[in-house]
Amino acid sequence: SQQGEEDPQALSIQEGENATMNCSYKTSINNLQWYRQNSGRGLVHLILIRSNEREKHSGRLRVTLDTSKKSSSLLITASRAADTASYFCATDGGDYKLSFGAGTTVTVRA
Amino acid sequence: SAVISQKPSRDICQRGTSLTIQCQVDSQVTMMFWYRQQPGQSLTLIATANQGSEATYESGFVIDKFPISRPNLTFSTLTVSNMSPEDSSIYLCSVPSYRVGETQYFGPGTRLLVL
């Protein structure tokens, strides 16, 4: 079942700007992951942050996790047109079953 | 990394019929998962398919509607039975990677439209 909520639902930014999206969840987690989906195709894993981590970086991606608030954020810096996609957070309670958030649709304008 | 293929990639079906979706992985994995993504929505886990045992279904999904087979460690099928337009969705299979920093590889999905 879904337990994540994401905001905003949609985000439109200019190329070069940063994009920030947030995710909240309800139950305890082992880790939280962010995925990207282009035009209804398969999901691409972006980054995973474990429950005992607070911040993680990967290239232009920065993820934070606040387990006390049951929330996470994904920051994409210096956005590109190729970053246009839907972004989903997903929580894993430790059994590899993922519970996905509603998703944020990001449009990067050239 | 695991390479996952799904067949068919898309299909248009008539209501009342059934469609079987295949998921093939290029390595042996114990666990495989099936997800549904309804139009404009997020992904919802349908069931876990383990080789050698019955699939375990999430709340809201039943075996009669979504029978699953798992004949070996590289292959699984999901059947969408007695379809209605509400079954129009993308169906994706996934497998754990067991690699540090990553937990799931997803197939490309099967886009189903039921008329």
Side-chain angles (χ1 to χ4, degrees):
Chain A
S1 62
Q2 288 180 249
Q3 69 159 335
E5 295 183 3
E6 291 183 56
D7 75 270
Q9 284 188 322
L11 185 59
S12 180
I13 55 174
Q14 201 75 30
E15 202 166 25
E17 292 180 339
N18 297 342
T20 300
M21 57 210 87
N22 304 295
C23 167
S24 62
Y25 57 92
K26 299 175 184 175
T27 61
S28 62
I29 64 171
N30 178 270
N31 63 71
L32 185 145
Q33 302 162 51
W34 287 89
Y35 288 84
R36 183 184 72 221
Q37 184 179 42
N38 294 83
S39 301
R41 298 175 187 167
L43 270 71
V44 174
H45 181 272
L46 295 176
I47 194 166
L48 178 152
I49 186 166
R50 302 190 186 281
S51 60
N52 60 353
E53 296 175 316
R54 293 296 167 259
E55 187 172 316
K56 205 161 186 180
H57 298 254
S58 177
R60 293 184 297 113
L61 305 178
R62 173 178 170 256
V63 169
T64 64
L65 178 65
D66 187 335
T67 53
S68 66
K69 296 181 179 179
K70 291 187 167 57
S71 68
S72 173
S73 68
L74 172 67
L75 167 68
I76 305 173
T77 61
S79 61
R80 307 166 181 170
D83 295 328
T84 294
S86 292
Y87 292 82
F88 295 93
C89 68
T91 56
D92 180 354
D95 56 3
Y96 296 104
K97 295 181 181 180
L98 297 180
S99 182
F100 282 83
T104 295
T105 300
V106 175
T107 303
V108 181
R109 306 185 307 273
Chain B
S1 63
V3 176
I4 304 174
S5 60
Q6 287 186 232
K7 290 182 181 179
S9 58
R10 57 177 63 224
D11 207 341
I12 301 174
C13 301
Q14 297 297 318
R15 68 175 67 206
T17 62
S18 297
L19 176 73
T20 295
I21 301 168
Q22 300 178 8
C23 178
Q24 179 76 53
V25 187
D26 69 344
S27 57
Q28 294 185 335
V29 291
T30 305
M31 303 168 74
M32 293 178 76
F33 301 98
W34 287 97
Y35 289 85
R36 180 178 73 181
Q37 185 176 26
Q38 294 177 300
Q41 302 297 313
S42 185
L43 282 79
T44 301
L45 180 63
I46 297 172
T48 304
N50 293 322
Q51 198 269 335
S53 63
E54 293 286 326
T56 55
Y57 290 82
E58 299 301 308
S59 176
F61 298 96
V62 294
I63 187 171
D64 290 347
K65 177 67 176 177
F66 297 101
I68 287 171
S69 78
R70 185 76 202 277
N72 58 54
L73 292 174
T74 63
F75 186 79
S76 178
T77 67
L78 169 76
T79 298
V80 186
S81 304
N82 188 24
M83 289 184 286
S84 67
E86 291 72 34
D87 294 319
S88 298
S89 296
I90 300 173
Y91 293 87
L92 302 100
C93 62
S94 75
V95 300
S97 75
Y98 307 115
R99 195 180 79 183
V100 175
E102 200 170 339
T103 65
Q104 298 278 343
Y105 294 111
F106 281 83
T110 294
R111 189 181 294 267
L112 171 61
L113 176 63
V114 184
L115 303 177

